[in-house]
Amino acid sequence: MPGDAERCREHAKECWAWAASTNNPSLRESLTDLAKRWTRLATEIEASRVLFEEGSDATRENSPVSMTGRWRAKLSQAGRGTNDERPQG
């Protein structure tokens, strides 16, 4: 489904696994980059969802900085970071 953050994270996890299992440095670099892009896309989808769900609350404040801070706080509360690095574990 388009816009499915969890599916994006699954793709990222697969890319990390493939990158770890290859001996080809060029392929490993490409897969690592792809995993980071999937992770970033998942984070962006979640951030968009948070802003959409807040609806009128997000539009009451005119500052884009306060909206950015709000979705980052929501993501942190949900246990998600905005870090594009490889997940631990």
Side-chain angles (χ1 to χ4, degrees), residues 12-14 16-17 20 85-89:
K13 190 175 183 179
E14 290 175 9
W16 286 120
E85 295 303 315
R86 183 178 181 165
Q88 301 298 316

Side-chain angles (χ1 to χ4, degrees), residues 20-89:
S21 68
T22 185
N23 292 327
N24 181 328
S26 178
L27 180 58
R28 182 179 15 251
E29 183 179 342
S30 294
L31 288 167
T32 298
D33 181 58
L34 189 56
K36 289 178 182 180
R37 289 172 187 256
W38 278 118
T39 302
R40 189 176 311 122
L41 179 59
T43 302
E44 290 173 2
I45 290 169
E46 290 169 340
S48 296
R49 223 175 255 148
V50 167
L51 288 176
F52 179 76
E53 288 171 0
E54 287 190 356
S56 61
D57 289 341
T59 57
R60 282 186 208 149
E61 296 180 33
N62 295 327
S63 171
V65 173
S66 59
M67 288 191 294
T68 301
R70 186 178 303 144
W71 71 255
R72 286 189 181 183
K74 286 264 191 179
L75 291 176
S76 294
Q77 289 172 356
R80 306 246 190 253
T82 57
N83 189 343
D84 290 339
E85 295 303 315
R86 183 178 181 165
Q88 301 298 316

